[in-house]
Amino acid sequence: MKLFILVALFGLGLAQHNPHIRHGRTSIVHLFEWRWADIAAECERFLGPNGFGGVQISPPNEHIILDSPWRPWWQRYQPISYNLCSRSGSEDELRDMITRCNNVGVNIYVDAVINHMCGNTGGEGTHSSCGSWFSASRKDFPSVPYSHWDFNDNKCKTSSGDIENYADAYQVRDCRLVGLLDLALEKDYVRGKVADFMNKLIDMGVAGFRVDACKHMWPGDLEAVSGRLKNLSTRWFPNGSRPFIYQEVIDLGNEPISSSQYFHLGRVTEFKYGAKLGTVFRKWHGEKLCYTRNWGEGWGFMPDGNALVFIDNHDNQRGHGAGGASIVTFWDSRLHKMAVGFMLAHPYGVTRVMSSFRWNRQVVNGKDQNDWIGPPSHSDGSTKSVPINPDQTCGDGWVCEHRWRQIKNMVIFRNVVNGQPHSNWWDNQSNQVAFGRGNRGFIVFNNDDWDLDVTLNTGMPGGTYCDVISGQKEGGRCTGKQIQVGGDGHAHFRISNTEEDPFVAIHAESKL
Ligand code: QV4
Ligand code: CA
């Protein structure tokens, strides 16, 4: 009996590690701060047709609206209620987006902010995205409703009431993260309100959640909430599907709270991944690309089945959160394309691609003074929609990394090689490496300061393949480099270090 319960619990946990991505797709894109109407259109016109499996959306619930600084992006991480109107749009627009994305096989994952409400200095009034009245000073949020009984202040033992020391796990869970009013998730009432909020979204058709700030919540409390979550809607998902849960825990290996404490509840963000790969591609601290031969668990990362991986996220691309200067973002576009390409070619983890907006970066002594700037907006603070240029790039300050040919084609590459092993590794003991994915795909990088000129065993069937980095297959023709693979699987590669994108990738569906 005991064994049975153990197996059942384990099974339940593992179920929440499955992203339920459809049609053999593999990657999620974070459309940071996009409006629901734009995401719906993007699912239909771009994400579905190009093999993207899902979208991580910004928090959909009611949030504070701040004047100083003016409408920062991070106001959405300060909930006022679980009403579904936000800077991205109304509940109707949200529902329409979920339906339309699901209809083209693209899943929606919600960024769920459940550790806290707004900051303790958030004031009192109706400066909130649905216009609900609240009082931060009295900890009164009638639209939920939460009152001062529902917060952790009595449990927190620091004099400021804020987290002061990350070496103390009690503070980290029971005190306020940068002043954010900390919810008492040990209370059945609070757990119920949070579960109701998430279940409403499940009923609307979402496939799962990125759970914000999990380091600041006790695994036992999260387990209680997740036990109350419904199965996914059978309108789009198989009977009995559990919501996909990926938890934001920043574990770089130097604090008492570790990712492993959360493994049984779902996947966990692997922050070492982008920090290390950034160091490798920047060639800092003596790192070389050839050392990635055992990339993944061999580098001290969490077990493959637990990991959600990414090169940068909305925090560390602007100096928030963790990772520091090594993180490679769209600002370093050449390195970014290579690092994202590497991630998408490599079998480890469930992959998430970042899609950003541009801001006026002003770094003084290593800190960006403008790290708060919100999405491209009209003068009334409302978010601009995303215009698509004739060349398929985005306008008005939206970066749309996910539309860059090299990144989009590597998302497709990952789908084509799905399930194939990491194979046919080659390196020059420096920064030129190559690897395949069984007989379905092969990729070659030159991050050295000299040319790559070598014949390699690709493991692929003979034929002519189109490189999906310098171009792509269009109507049976190749707009980029062509790679001849012989009957023995060998091919010659030449990549100058001065090329715009010094890497080459071919796969089964890029065969001419
Ligand atoms: C300020 C002072 C505090 C003071 C407080 C109250 O700095 O010392 O106690 O006022 O007087 C914003 C401001 C911050 C301000 C706070 C409260 O930046 O200065 O505190 O609001 O008013 C995002 C931003 C934060 C932002 C927060 C809420 O990154 O800067 O805080 O939204 O608007 C850790 C965590 C990890 C977290 C990461 C950033 O372990 O969980 O830090 N990452 C997630 C999200 C992130 C978000 C939060 C968590 C909070 O990815 O985007 O923070 O929901 O590593
Ligand atoms: Ca907490």
Side-chain angles (χ1 to χ4, degrees):
M1 186 60 188
K2 264 189 188 148
L3 185 72
F4 174 76
I5 294 174
L6 255 178
V7 169
L9 275 177
F10 194 60
L12 177 79
L14 280 185
Q16 297 182 166
H17 295 68
N18 179 348
H20 299 297
I21 299 182
R22 289 169 278 170
H23 310 304
R25 301 178 190 176
T26 50
S27 295
I28 296 171
V29 56
H30 181 195
L31 297 180
F32 178 46
E33 284 281 10
W34 280 44
R35 294 169 62 248
W36 308 147
D38 290 311
I39 296 178
E42 189 71 350
C43 282
E44 293 169 343
R45 71 190 165 204
F46 189 84
L47 301 176
N50 287 295
F52 284 77
V55 180
Q56 178 182 314
I57 62 169
S58 284
N61 59 296
E62 182 169 27
H63 54 83
I64 199 167
I65 292 182
L66 296 169
D67 289 336
S68 166
W70 176 255
R71 310 293 190 256
W73 62 268
W74 42 253
Q75 64 184 15
R76 297 186 72 173
Y77 290 91
Q78 302 200 24
I80 296 301
S81 81
Y82 301 126
N83 298 336
L84 297 174
C85 34
S86 67
R87 194 176 195 172
S88 288
S90 67
E91 177 167 344
D92 284 344
E93 290 168 312
L94 178 69
R95 191 183 302 276
D96 180 60
M97 171 197 79
I98 295 168
T99 304
R100 286 164 62 191
C101 290
N102 273 326
N103 284 345
V104 292
V106 179
N107 291 350
I108 298 294
Y109 304 101
V110 170
D111 195 346
V113 185
I114 58 174
N115 171 65
H116 51 262
M117 299 299 277
C118 67
N120 63 328
T121 54
E124 184 170 298
T126 54
H127 46 297
S128 52
S129 56
C130 320
S132 298
W133 183 91
F134 68 97
S135 168
S137 46
R138 282 188 271 160
K139 286 174 240 159
D140 194 8
F141 297 87
S143 306
V144 179
Y146 286 141
S147 71
H148 67 280
W149 300 107
D150 302 317
F151 293 87
N152 262 336
D153 301 65
N154 300 326
K155 256 180 125 185
C156 170
K157 300 284 179 272
T158 65
S159 53
S160 64
D162 287 352
I163 299 165
E164 295 170 359
N165 176 9
Y166 274 77
D168 176 350
Y170 290 89
Q171 287 187 26
V172 175
R173 265 79 175 249
D174 297 338
C175 297
R176 297 180 311 217
L177 166 63
V178 294
L180 300 163
L181 297 173
D182 204 56
L183 284 167
L185 271 169
E186 66 181 8
K187 287 187 63 177
D188 192 65
Y189 176 77
V190 175
R191 292 172 177 178
K193 286 295 168 190
V194 167
D196 287 350
F197 161 56
M198 296 171 81
N199 280 330
K200 178 165 182 185
L201 291 158
I202 289 173
D203 286 340
M204 289 168 79
V206 308
F209 303 90
R210 176 246 185 210
V211 186
D212 182 66
C214 286
K215 182 189 283 185
H216 307 281
M217 296 181 278
W218 292 98
D221 292 341
L222 285 172
E223 196 169 334
V225 170
S226 98
R228 294 191 188 194
L229 297 184
K230 298 184 176 182
N231 289 338
L232 298 185
S233 163
T234 51
R235 182 163 168 206
W236 288 292
F237 302 96
N239 223 343
S241 302
R242 295 298 297 157
F244 178 45
I245 302 287
Y246 55 111
Q247 306 162 91
E248 189 223 13
V249 179
I250 303 178
D251 174 4
L252 296 176
N254 47 10
E255 291 172 21
I257 297 177
S258 67
S259 297
S260 60
Q261 295 164 8
Y262 296 83
F263 286 170
H264 58 298
L265 299 168
R267 286 188 184 249
V268 181
T269 50
E270 179 49 280
F271 275 82
K272 291 175 188 163
Y273 194 103
K276 290 283 184 196
L277 200 59
T279 311
V280 168
F281 273 99
R282 292 182 188 280
K283 300 185 255 187
W284 285 357
H285 314 311
E287 290 290 4
K288 293 178 182 168
L289 201 47
C290 67
Y291 301 152
T292 63
R293 180 181 198 132
N294 64 341
W295 185 247
E297 289 158 26
W299 275 60
F301 301 164
M302 64 183 75
D304 186 4
N306 291 106
L308 186 291
V309 300
F310 46 97
I311 297 304
D312 62 330
N313 79 348
H314 70 281
D315 285 328
N316 64 19
Q317 68 172 198
R318 45 175 55 69
H320 287 233
S326 78
I327 299 299
V328 179
T329 71
F330 70 87
W331 296 108
D332 300 293
S333 60
R334 192 170 187 259
L335 286 183
H336 189 69
K337 285 178 275 182
M338 279 199 272
V340 174
F342 183 96
M343 171 182 81
L344 292 170
H346 196 281
Y348 180 84
V350 168
T351 45
R352 180 179 64 194
V353 170
M354 181 68 201
S355 189
S356 317
F357 58 79
R358 216 168 262 109
W359 71 98
N360 177 15
R361 207 163 51 144
Q362 231 159 52
V363 183
V364 181
N365 297 326
K367 173 160 175 14
D368 181 359
Q369 305 302 304
N370 286 338
D371 64 346
W372 58 271
I373 290 183
S377 295
H378 301 285
S379 53
D380 65 356
S382 62
T383 303
K384 287 187 178 172
S385 72
V386 182
I388 307 299
N389 299 321
D391 68 356
Q392 298 303 308
T393 60
C394 301
D396 267 355
W398 299 98
V399 182
C400 290
E401 295 94 310
H402 69 286
R403 279 179 167 257
W404 295 359
R405 182 190 65 241
Q406 301 83 344
I407 292 179
K408 172 204 69 169
N409 283 344
M410 286 307 297
V411 165
I412 295 170
F413 178 107
R414 189 177 192 77
N415 296 344
V416 173
V417 305
N418 193 15
Q420 297 288 319
H422 188 254
S423 53
N424 293 304
W425 174 268
W426 168 84
D427 69 67
N428 70 343
Q429 303 192 332
S430 184
N431 293 291
Q432 301 180 352
V433 306
F435 61 91
R437 296 291 303 278
N439 60 3
R440 299 279 293 167
F442 196 74
I443 191 162
V444 188
F445 292 90
N446 179 10
N447 199 31
D448 270 326
D449 299 327
W450 59 87
D451 290 356
L452 174 150
D453 196 341
V454 67
T455 297
L456 300 172
N457 180 15
T458 65
M460 311 260 299
T464 305
Y465 291 82
C466 183
D467 167 32
V468 298
I469 304 303
S470 57
Q472 60 199 5
K473 200 170 111 179
E474 274 170 27
R477 284 185 49 257
C478 179
T479 61
K481 294 181 189 172
Q482 298 192 13
I483 306 292
Q484 307 292 337
V485 177
D488 61 354
H490 285 64
H492 185 79
F493 294 91
R494 205 185 159 270
I495 307 175
S496 160
N497 61 307
T498 60
E499 279 175 41
E500 189 182 335
D501 298 306
F503 63 121
V504 166
I506 57 175
H507 58 71
E509 287 174 15
S510 82
K511 195 172 181 190
L512 293 171

